[in-house]
Amino acid sequence: MASPPLNADTLRAYTEELRDGFVHLQNESQALHDRARAVRVTERSPDGLVTVTAGTRGDLIHLDLDPRVFRRSDSQSPARLITESIHRAATRAQEEVIAIFEPLVPAAQMRAQLRGDLDAGLSQLSEHMHGTWDAS
């Protein structure tokens, strides 16, 4: 069954619908961007001696060391606790950002973006445009 021919009124209405959708998306994306920028995740080591806070990109914002951490004879243990805590906080922060943008950007594409993997991001975008997208 063929579609009815398009007339000027139909095209005008469609153009207005696209414009309204774009404006809504633009407004929503700014709000999402603001929420993502505000992400802060705090993680504590299992023994409670190390507390770290990571930001949106997984960057270290705050590090708090309980003085008892310096009483350990093994200097590698505090370093390992700090590193593991930072990695956990960074991972959680990035997952929160991915969840915030999921209404607009597929999770796999957002992960590639956060990793700075431009090739993967562009490849996923191309797959999406050509209908071969796998959002996992």
Side-chain angles (χ1 to χ4, degrees):
M1 182 170 186
S3 298
L6 296 175
N7 61 35
D9 290 336
T10 303
L11 287 173
R12 190 175 302 112
Y14 181 65
T15 302
E16 288 176 17
E17 182 182 330
L18 286 175
R19 181 185 48 95
D20 291 346
F22 177 76
V23 169
H24 174 72
L25 183 62
Q26 191 175 26
N27 292 337
E28 186 177 335
S29 68
Q30 184 59 50
L32 294 177
H33 187 70
D34 292 343
R35 279 182 50 209
R37 226 181 309 178
V39 167
R40 301 288 182 269
V41 172
T42 299
E43 279 285 332
R44 177 172 261 137
S45 64
D47 61 6
L49 298 178
V50 175
T51 304
V52 300
T53 301
T56 300
R57 296 185 184 270
D59 49 325
L60 180 63
I61 293 174
H62 182 76
L63 170 64
D64 184 45
L65 302 174
D66 186 298
R68 294 176 294 159
V69 79
F70 299 108
R71 296 185 195 135
R72 294 183 167 196
S73 59
D74 174 19
S75 66
Q76 292 303 309
S77 182
R80 183 177 36 76
L81 289 174
I82 292 167
T83 302
E84 290 171 355
S85 298
I86 291 170
H87 285 292
R88 280 195 317 275
T91 298
R92 278 191 43 221
Q94 290 186 352
E95 288 303 316
E96 283 190 29
V97 170
I98 290 166
I100 288 169
F101 280 103
E102 199 158 20
L104 299 177
V105 181
Q109 188 176 345
M110 192 67 193
R111 279 189 189 88
Q113 178 72 25
L114 289 172
R115 282 192 317 264
D117 189 350
L118 183 60
D119 290 336
L122 291 174
S123 173
Q124 291 166 0
L125 181 59
S126 175
E127 290 170 7
H128 181 66
M129 291 173 65
H130 290 97
T132 59
W133 178 253
D134 177 14
S136 59

